Amino acid sequence: MPSYSVTTSGRTVRLTGWGRVSPSRAELAEPASVAGAARLLETGASPRGVIARGLGRSYNNAAQCEGGVVISTARLNRILELDAATGLATCEAGVSLEQLMVAGLPGGWFVPVSPGTRQVTVGGAIAADVHGKNHHVAGSFARHVRSVEILLPSGELRTVTEQSDPVLFWATAGGMGLTGLIVRAVVQLKRVATSRLRVDTVRTADIDETMAVLAEHDRAFGYTVAWSDSLARGASLGRSVITSGDFAEPGDLPPADRTDPFAFRPGARLGVPAGFPPGLINRYTVALANEAWYRKAPRSRTGELQTIGTFFHPLDGIRNWNRVYGPGGFRQYQYVLPFGAEDAVRRSFELVSQARAPSFVTVLKRFGEGDSGLLSFPVPGWTLALDFPARTRGLATLLGSLDRLVVEAGGRVYLAKDSRVSAEVLAEMYPRLAEFRKLRAEFDPGGILASDLSRRLGL
């Protein structure tokens, strides 16, 4: 469900991102057609701007517009065509990755790139140029987009491909919805033989072993990721549980499962109540949970069969899991540091551990070659994602130290997750930011498209 709550009569709503920080109010519009969305741009543009919103899974305020208009794609959610022979999916922007999985898997097609949740729309996946556990072989989502239809701020509907208009295509991929309203796209799905994965698990003792195993597994597996203990110290700094895998073949399945090799049963098994008490996620509870999770993992296990949900989207099994952080919400911090900056990766673990900042969802992996997106996040290197309760003592100081470490190492933070970096620091991280601003000024001289995020960062 979209992450918004109606707090007054009419269409004014209070919005947050998935991190539940920085709420703001806007008029929410839910057009049922591309023509309806175009009319909102032509006649409904607020002086405060307009921005699109999918399922609300950006961790920050990228899909919010204080005092303006937010255009939900909730009703633009039809798969228009899915070619069973080629795996080309033509869909509206509000189609979720889960919808694509449900529609594609019976014919042997899976999404080419999946982030940590399948509750992301196609439009959002393009706007944030999302990445997954297979970036080292598949790149990010935009690499698999064959065309995208964009409503420009002028109201013009334009079909864009990497070949026909590379400038606009690569400004839109990773452009956080600021080049136009994405309304449709054609996406190349990935051929798979079953809906299960064969997974190897390795438990590592420290950050050096973690990075060495990740590098080794990237050469052998299509999907690789490490869950890391952010609070481990001393000789155990950066200890992790690494899971790596590939889609299984029919012969890998137990005989009872071979009659339905593409079985996929999405849905959440548990839910978190709205009034979850504050303070339960803290350095003590996270330290205990980290210890239990690490000890539970096998030292080494090969060939375990896992479902798509277990391997790709474990948190999707819990509805509204973001509520566990309490009413104060949480901040996710994700950086990428180039290969060769391994000392800086190690230092980032030291900073978090020394601050005793609780992050249970701590994920380390490697990126392959980046794409041409002006603001696309991935570049070859190491990427670390951390989740902290927003009210963690000393968090601002810690994240400021991480910012400086990232800048000095030639890295950057992820625009779909950042909720507090300054515009000046961001400019040090994204060398093509000036190009993006120039293009935006050309396509949107009236500043029709805007978000709380874009105003904060001067995008």
Side-chain angles (χ1 to χ4, degrees):
M1 294 293 292
S3 180
Y4 64 83
S5 57
V6 178
T7 57
T8 65
S9 61
R11 297 167 64 186
T12 299
V13 298
R14 179 181 182 272
L15 296 164
T16 71
W18 193 245
R20 304 177 75 205
V21 296
S22 305
S24 63
R25 301 172 70 82
E27 180 183 349
L28 183 71
E30 295 187 341
S33 66
V34 173
R39 284 193 295 272
L40 287 165
L41 278 182
E42 294 168 0
T43 63
S46 162
R48 291 289 290 169
V50 177
I51 197 68
R53 183 180 181 90
L55 289 170
R57 289 305 181 104
S58 291
Y59 286 70
N60 53 22
N61 50 8
Q64 296 167 226
C65 185
E66 174 71 50
V69 176
V70 172
I71 299 178
S72 168
T73 60
R75 298 172 70 189
L76 298 171
N77 64 346
R78 295 177 300 159
I79 298 175
L80 303 173
E81 183 180 2
L82 177 52
D83 191 311
T86 65
L88 283 174
T90 303
C91 48
E92 294 180 321
V95 168
S96 71
L97 299 191
E98 179 174 288
Q99 282 179 264
L100 282 179
M101 293 174 197
V102 170
L105 278 168
W109 298 104
F110 187 67
V111 295
V113 170
S114 178
T117 175
R118 57 185 177 266
Q119 303 304 328
V120 173
T121 64
V122 168
I126 296 169
D129 200 13
V130 299
H131 54 271
K133 300 176 182 181
N134 61 340
H135 190 275
H136 58 291
V137 295
S140 48
F141 195 84
R143 186 180 297 183
H144 308 275
V145 174
R146 297 297 171 256
S147 68
V148 57
E149 289 186 44
I150 307 170
L151 271 174
L152 298 178
S154 64
E156 175 193 353
L157 180 62
R158 185 179 298 186
T159 300
V160 178
T161 70
E162 184 180 3
Q163 294 73 33
S164 69
D165 193 341
V167 173
L168 183 56
F169 183 91
W170 288 116
T172 300
M176 304 308 296
L178 297 169
T179 61
L181 300 183
I182 298 168
V183 293
R184 294 192 188 104
V186 178
V187 182
Q188 176 64 64
L189 302 185
K190 166 190 171 71
R191 174 67 81 180
V192 295
T194 73
S195 62
R196 299 289 189 91
L197 292 103
R198 285 177 50 88
V199 179
D200 286 10
T201 301
V202 175
R203 194 173 71 187
T204 60
D206 56 33
I207 186 60
D208 292 327
E209 185 183 5
T210 298
M211 289 193 285
V213 172
L214 282 172
E216 176 187 348
H217 281 206
D218 268 8
R219 293 189 290 269
F221 296 91
Y223 299 93
T224 302
V225 70
W227 167 89
S228 300
D229 183 350
S230 64
L231 294 176
R233 293 184 284 184
S236 297
L237 181 79
R239 65 181 185 176
S240 302
V241 178
I242 297 174
T243 50
S244 308
D246 288 292
F247 276 91
E249 295 296 321
D252 298 324
L253 304 183
D257 293 341
R258 293 175 190 172
T259 57
D260 189 10
F262 296 110
F264 175 56
R265 299 175 182 87
R269 298 180 300 276
L270 303 171
V272 178
F276 205 78
L280 292 185
I281 304 296
N282 57 59
R283 66 183 59 180
Y284 307 107
T285 58
V286 170
L288 289 171
N290 284 356
E291 181 70 24
W293 190 262
Y294 181 77
R295 295 299 173 189
K296 177 185 175 183
R299 293 184 182 274
S300 179
R301 181 173 59 202
T302 61
E304 180 192 18
L305 288 174
Q306 292 188 7
T307 65
I308 285 170
T310 299
F311 184 74
F312 288 105
H313 319 116
L315 290 176
D316 280 352
I318 306 172
R319 287 188 304 277
N320 300 315
W321 64 261
N322 55 341
R323 292 176 179 171
V324 302
Y325 291 91
F330 71 103
R331 298 188 188 274
Q332 182 164 114
Y333 188 92
Q334 184 171 7
Y335 71 59
V336 58
L337 298 178
F339 291 129
E342 286 73 21
D343 286 344
V345 175
R346 189 177 297 105
R347 178 59 181 157
S348 71
F349 275 86
E350 292 173 349
L351 288 171
V352 174
S353 177
Q354 290 166 3
R356 308 305 291 156
S359 171
F360 178 68
V361 183
T362 304
V363 174
L364 180 67
K365 57 191 175 193
R366 289 159 51 98
F367 282 154
E369 289 298 321
D371 57 34
S372 300
L374 299 184
L375 296 184
S376 184
F377 171 63
V379 295
W382 303 92
T383 180
L384 177 69
L386 302 137
D387 284 355
F388 301 108
R391 295 174 178 174
T392 298
R393 183 178 300 175
L395 183 59
T397 299
L398 169 62
L399 297 184
S401 298
L402 288 172
D403 286 344
R404 188 45 42 195
L405 179 74
V406 170
V407 168
E408 291 175 355
R412 59 182 59 164
V413 298
Y414 190 17
L415 283 172
K417 296 182 177 179
D418 169 66
S419 60
R420 28 69 54 202
V421 77
S422 70
E424 294 74 20
V425 170
L426 188 87
E428 295 184 79
M429 296 176 172
Y430 281 84
R432 303 186 71 185
L433 180 58
E435 290 180 60
F436 181 80
R437 288 170 171 161
K438 182 174 182 291
L439 185 139
R440 271 200 73 202
E442 294 172 358
F443 277 92
D444 188 11
I448 292 174
L449 294 169
S451 65
D452 292 351
L453 178 76
S454 74
R455 282 191 281 265
R456 172 169 63 87
L457 295 175
L459 297 178

